[in-house]
Amino acid sequence: MSCQFLLSLLPCLRKVERDTDNGSSFLKNGSMLLENLIASCGAKFTNPIRTYSADELIRATNNFDPSCMIDGGRNYQMFRGFLDGRSIVVKKFMWENYEDEARSLAICDIIISMQVSNHNNVLKLLGCCLEFPVPALVHENAAKGVLNSRGGLGPNDQSLLPWKTRLRIAKQLANVLTYLHTAFPRTIIHRSLTPSCIFLDHDFVPKLSNFSLSVTIPRDVTTVRGTLGYLDPAYRMYFHISEKTDVYGLGMLLLVFLTGQREALKFYLPGDEQNIPYASASDGQIQETVDPKIFEEVGEDEKARQDLHDFTALALLCTRYRSELRPDMIDVAKELMRIEKSMFP
């Protein structure tokens, strides 16, 4: 597949000869992408992608008009556009004073997305544009948009999802993360799980995105990257990254789904096992911390309340300070499947 993609670059190279404004960016980005593709030659690339011109993406997004922006992080912005008769999402990296770093993030995003986009719970990569100073990514559109910081939809954090939908999203996220951890010659760690990297399609199926910080292990890591509140303490304090790094991030997402609140921004001290200040698996505190809308759906059903207790206990187990005490992702996926079948047979 990587050979097909490289062949698709050849017509663009002829264009570069005529367009010096974009030529240097194309050659610099293309050479770095080629280098990373060669380094990943043992990986499986199952998703054919194409290259887009800068003019195409500018037209598709009305010159990246702010009214088209649907999400933005510290390093990137995402715009909804329309191209070739279909709705798309364009991810444009911001590079002011950090062009080399932004380029590395974008290339990583492309390489990992090319490997995993065949999974139903990944936001599919359609292609990329190498003519900007930093490559831009072109994804399929997801009709419902991106989750907000409370795990719902909408810009004002007001549209929380039904409990059944939250639980199904959690289960499918655990499944796709299990896929990242087990389906490739080298384990892929997402490393940056937050609500803002989760899109929902028309049927509320979650689509995982933003692989710019993803890594394959084993690998030496000397810097900490990610979002406070979702960072694995073992990674944040000791630069230790493993499958349990994603288990921790997913555990924090489970707590967001459970409470309808933003992540707990707590710094951990070695040996501190009281890791979530606003949630506990004790019966008394579940009533106080769980989103009241969930109790409205669950009602007085004792079995459903026990399943809710089990969900809370699983979230807390995933966020244990010591990574060896957390479950494997495949076991998290199995438990979420069991809870879903029990609550919604």
Side-chain angles (χ1 to χ4, degrees):
M1 187 269 136
S2 57
C3 291
Q4 295 175 351
F5 175 71
L6 293 174
L7 288 173
S8 74
L9 298 181
L10 294 179
C12 303
L13 290 173
R14 288 191 288 270
K15 177 180 181 297
V16 167
E17 295 176 356
R18 303 189 303 269
D19 190 349
T20 57
D21 290 339
N22 296 331
S24 61
S25 293
F26 186 95
L27 292 174
K28 183 180 293 186
N29 293 329
S31 64
M32 186 171 181
L33 181 57
L34 174 59
E35 180 181 339
N36 279 267
L37 282 169
I38 293 173
S40 304
C41 60
K44 297 185 292 184
F45 296 97
T46 58
N47 177 49
I49 67 172
R50 57 163 285 193
T51 55
Y52 296 87
S53 70
D55 288 342
E56 285 179 298
L57 300 192
I58 289 171
R59 288 195 303 270
T61 60
N62 193 22
N63 197 22
F64 299 101
D65 191 281
S67 64
C68 298
M69 191 169 72
I70 56 176
D71 185 41
R74 186 175 68 89
N75 300 306
Y76 66 89
Q77 294 175 327
M78 300 188 82
F79 298 83
R80 185 172 279 115
F82 198 78
L83 184 64
D84 296 336
R86 70 186 299 176
S87 184
I88 60 171
V89 171
V90 179
K91 183 174 185 179
K92 190 170 186 288
F93 283 82
M94 297 178 289
W95 59 84
E96 186 177 357
N97 300 324
Y98 299 97
E99 183 175 317
D100 290 341
E101 178 184 358
R103 183 178 297 106
S104 295
L105 295 175
I107 295 296
C108 178
D109 210 342
I110 294 170
I111 295 295
I112 299 297
S113 294
M114 288 172 67
Q115 298 178 60
V116 303
S117 279
N118 64 318
H119 195 284
N120 187 53
N121 294 120
V122 171
L123 191 67
K124 186 175 182 179
L125 180 70
L126 302 176
C128 61
C129 174
L130 304 179
E131 295 180 7
F132 295 110
V134 173
L137 283 69
V138 180
H139 290 278
E140 65 177 353
N141 185 37
K144 296 297 183 182
V146 64
L147 293 183
N148 60 38
S149 61
R150 296 177 61 195
L153 293 171
N156 298 319
D157 293 356
Q158 295 175 345
S159 180
L160 294 177
L161 301 170
W163 172 239
K164 182 177 182 179
T165 303
R166 299 185 217 185
L167 181 54
R168 186 176 71 247
I169 291 171
K171 179 198 70 175
Q172 293 179 337
L173 288 175
N175 286 338
V176 69
L177 289 167
T178 299
Y179 170 74
L180 296 183
H181 292 179
T182 62
F184 300 93
R186 295 183 64 186
T187 297
I188 299 173
I189 307 300
H190 187 279
R191 192 164 61 149
S192 186
L193 291 170
T194 65
S196 65
C197 68
I198 302 165
F199 285 74
L200 301 181
D201 72 5
H202 183 74
D203 297 316
F204 294 92
V205 174
K207 304 287 185 176
L208 186 63
S209 68
N210 190 17
F211 296 95
S212 59
L213 295 181
S214 298
V215 296
T216 57
I217 57 173
R219 175 174 173 171
D220 291 331
V221 177
T222 57
T223 58
V224 174
R225 304 293 299 272
T227 302
L228 285 176
Y230 293 92
L231 287 175
D232 172 11
Y235 166 52
R236 183 174 61 81
M237 298 181 67
Y238 307 113
F239 306 113
H240 178 67
I241 191 165
S242 71
E243 294 92 333
K244 301 300 179 73
T245 301
D246 282 347
V247 171
Y248 184 91
L250 180 62
M252 293 304 303
L253 282 172
L254 298 185
L255 288 168
V256 170
F257 292 149
L258 185 73
T259 64
Q261 302 297 322
R262 292 177 175 85
E263 71 284 343
L265 298 179
K266 180 176 180 180
F267 288 91
Y268 294 84
L269 299 174
D272 179 11
E273 296 295 341
Q274 186 184 357
N275 46 340
I276 306 298
Y278 60 77
S280 168
S282 65
D283 294 331
Q285 287 190 295
I286 283 182
Q287 184 74 39
E288 298 175 4
T289 58
V290 170
D291 178 8
K293 291 185 178 181
I294 295 177
F295 280 114
E296 292 175 8
E297 296 180 48
V298 170
E300 299 300 323
D301 187 325
E302 290 187 10
K303 183 174 178 297
R305 289 192 170 227
Q306 178 58 50
D307 290 328
L308 197 57
H309 184 286
D310 293 345
F311 184 95
T312 306
L314 177 64
L316 294 175
L317 187 61
C318 289
T319 53
R320 294 295 297 270
Y321 174 84
R322 294 170 57 189
S323 58
E324 66 269 21
L325 298 178
R326 302 172 205 154
D328 293 330
M329 189 64 75
I330 190 170
D331 294 322
V332 177
K334 289 177 180 178
E335 176 66 0
L336 288 171
M337 181 180 297
R338 182 197 68 77
I339 294 172
E340 183 188 42
K341 286 183 177 180
S342 177
M343 295 191 79
F344 305 101

